[in-house]
Amino acid sequence: MSSAGYDVETRVLEIEFSSGRVYRFADVPSSVWEWLVRVPNKGAYVARNLTGKYAFEDLTALDASAPQVDLEALLEASLSTDGS
């Protein structure tokens, strides 16, 4: 994970991965964001606490010709390499 940001008013969480892909998660409680910034293994936290629990969109795939990515597979791959 390269960076992340959270909007308290809209409850939107955006995460940028080291691959350059950016995901926007909807209706995320602030407690999830607070834990994300605290945990040492952010990739594992995202996989366990965001993937499959909150609606998301891949902001890097807005171009129809861009390949679609399986977020869960991307997170699994990040966990098996450097864990961030």
Side-chain angles (χ1 to χ4, degrees):
M1 196 168 83
S2 296
S3 64
Y6 181 72
D7 186 315
V8 176
E9 290 182 21
T10 61
R11 295 171 43 116
V12 169
L13 172 63
E14 287 188 12
I15 299 175
E16 179 181 6
F17 291 92
S18 55
S19 67
R21 299 200 78 83
V22 179
Y23 296 90
R24 178 181 293 154
F25 292 86
D27 202 27
V28 177
S30 61
S31 60
V32 172
W33 162 250
E34 291 165 4
W35 275 104
L36 177 63
V37 296
R38 290 184 202 156
V39 297
N41 190 331
K42 295 181 185 340
Y45 182 81
V46 169
R48 282 192 309 266
N49 296 288
L50 289 162
T51 304
K53 295 182 180 176
Y54 300 98
F56 72 92
E57 64 180 309
D58 181 349
L59 300 181
T60 52
L62 294 178
D63 176 359
S65 65
Q68 296 296 311
V69 169
D70 179 352
L71 178 58
E72 190 167 356
L74 178 66
L75 291 170
E76 295 273 339
S78 73
L79 292 173
S80 66
T81 55
D82 65 358
S84 60

